[in-house]
Amino acid sequence: MAATTAPPSCEIARLPEDLLAASIARTTPRDACRAAAVSPAFRDAADSDAVWARFLPRDLPPLADGELSPAPPSKKALFMRLTDSPVLLADGLMSTWLDRETGAKCYMLSARALCIIWGDTPQYWRWIPLTDSSFFCDRFSEGAELRVVCWLEIRGKIHCKMLSQNSTYTTYMVFKISDESYGLDSPLQEAAVIIGENKFTRQVCLQGHENEGEDEEEVPQNYRSLMVPDIRRRLRRRNCRIPPGVIVPKKRADGWMEIEMGEFKNEEGEDGEVSISLMETIGGNWKKGLILQGIEIRAKK
């Protein structure tokens, strides 16, 4: 009987670990995780600090004390920690995390880090804690609540050098709407993202309700005067048609809403700042009930 020959081992697995690691480090975090499942030799190389040091940004901004306590035991563990949840920067006004697929640096500018016109005037805006069940936020301790304004203008900015080079980003406003809100569905707002000579603008609707009330019966006109104000406001929003192309909010897993404001490309060696804004200053209509957590800058998917 002929002896059974053992299957040949994978030739590439015979390479020295440092050469395997150097090759894997030229891929992506996702590819490195896949390589770790190939064989024990691949796993040792793919999980090495030499690989994950290439995926970690070299210029991560200073973090607040205790944000990475206890210290992750390896470069891979540090990368995973920075992709699991945001960490506060030293000033407490911004948070950062890494995109798990690309390693790109992402940020959130808190409401305190933004320029809100009339934001320091209690008659128009007030600062509220974000620690209770209604407005819980695990990143920042306070947010801004719009009491009443007819001039809505919110601006944020971030230096290009804080972002990852050759990366495309999408910006989002993160917010909630109070039960007593009005004036946020019409007129429409304008969102803008500016980097260098490039400016991206679009119309958005903070209180867009594309599907609200589709299955509800129409209320006869002669009964509407008998409704309480809150029901009348919801009826007006239901009957307000959103024009095609206008961006409306989406609900997030954390219970907040987000609305896409625009995108931009951070080129290699880009200098200057990225400016992000949301405005409605033309209509003169009074507005109330926006609860602002901040603006997120995320790697585009």
Side-chain angles (χ1 to χ4, degrees):
M1 180 181 294
T4 303
T5 58
S9 59
C10 178
E11 292 296 326
I12 195 172
R14 296 182 179 182
L15 291 174
E17 183 179 314
D18 58 343
L19 289 182
L20 276 177
S23 299
I24 296 172
R26 294 178 178 273
T27 62
T28 65
R30 179 187 290 271
D31 291 332
C33 291
R34 289 171 174 168
V38 172
S39 69
F42 268 68
R43 182 171 60 249
D44 291 341
D47 289 348
S48 67
D49 281 353
V51 169
W52 290 91
R54 290 288 299 269
F55 300 146
L56 287 166
R58 299 177 182 178
D59 53 352
L60 194 69
L63 304 181
D65 292 342
E67 284 297 285
L68 291 178
S69 180
S74 66
K75 298 293 187 183
K76 181 179 180 179
L78 174 59
F79 182 92
M80 294 302 176
R81 169 65 183 84
L82 291 173
T83 60
D84 281 342
S85 60
V87 290
L88 276 178
L89 299 192
D91 61 7
L93 301 179
M94 297 173 58
S95 64
T96 186
W97 68 99
L98 302 182
D99 179 71
R100 178 159 292 190
E101 294 187 10
T102 65
K105 291 177 288 185
C106 306
Y107 293 90
M108 185 169 193
L109 314 180
S110 69
R112 279 290 187 188
L114 305 176
C115 174
I116 303 174
I117 300 302
W118 305 111
D120 292 326
T121 305
Q123 177 183 350
Y124 303 119
W125 290 84
R126 69 181 183 126
W127 294 94
I128 61 172
L130 297 181
T131 53
D132 61 26
S133 58
S134 299
F135 308 121
F136 179 74
C137 168
D138 59 359
R139 311 185 200 197
F140 308 113
S141 60
E142 62 178 355
E145 181 179 15
L146 172 58
R147 304 189 75 172
V148 61
V149 294
C150 61
W151 182 288
L152 179 63
E153 182 174 350
I154 301 169
R155 296 182 178 274
K157 60 183 180 180
I158 187 171
H159 203 286
C160 294
K161 291 181 178 179
M162 295 183 68
L163 302 166
S164 297
Q165 294 182 353
N166 298 316
S167 297
T168 300
Y169 286 91
T170 307
T171 61
Y172 300 84
M173 178 169 287
V174 182
F175 64 96
K176 286 187 175 183
I177 300 293
S178 72
D179 293 337
E180 297 78 24
S181 65
Y182 57 79
L184 297 173
D185 52 349
S186 180
L188 299 174
Q189 301 87 34
E190 180 184 85
V193 180
I194 304 173
I195 178 171
E197 300 297 322
N198 300 315
K199 182 177 182 179
F200 179 100
T201 62
R202 64 174 18 154
Q203 284 190 314
V204 301
C205 183
L206 288 174
Q207 206 164 10
H209 294 262
E210 289 183 315
N211 300 318
E212 182 179 347
E214 286 184 351
D215 299 324
E216 297 179 22
E217 296 182 4
E218 179 66 22
V219 178
Q221 186 71 34
N222 58 323
Y223 282 99
R224 295 186 182 184
S225 61
L226 304 177
M227 293 178 177
V228 296
D230 182 58
I231 297 178
R232 286 203 301 268
R233 283 196 295 268
R234 281 185 287 174
L235 180 63
R236 285 196 299 269
R237 290 200 299 266
R238 191 184 74 188
N239 293 332
C240 180
R241 298 293 181 182
I242 305 299
V246 174
I247 305 301
V248 297
K250 296 180 179 179
K251 191 166 186 178
R252 297 157 50 105
D254 61 6
W256 290 76
M257 305 291 290
E258 68 178 24
I259 194 163
E260 185 177 320
M261 302 177 71
E263 63 182 57
F264 65 93
K265 176 72 176 290
N266 191 47
E267 304 285 356
E268 183 175 358
E270 190 78 43
D271 200 5
E273 294 178 333
V274 181
S275 298
I276 309 159
S277 64
L278 183 134
M279 300 180 62
E280 199 295 291
T281 61
I282 298 175
N285 298 46
W286 291 97
K287 309 158 188 57
K288 178 181 179 179
L290 175 66
I291 300 166
L292 178 62
Q293 183 184 149
I295 292 178
E296 274 192 353
I297 304 167
R298 306 200 302 252
K300 182 181 178 181
K301 301 296 184 183

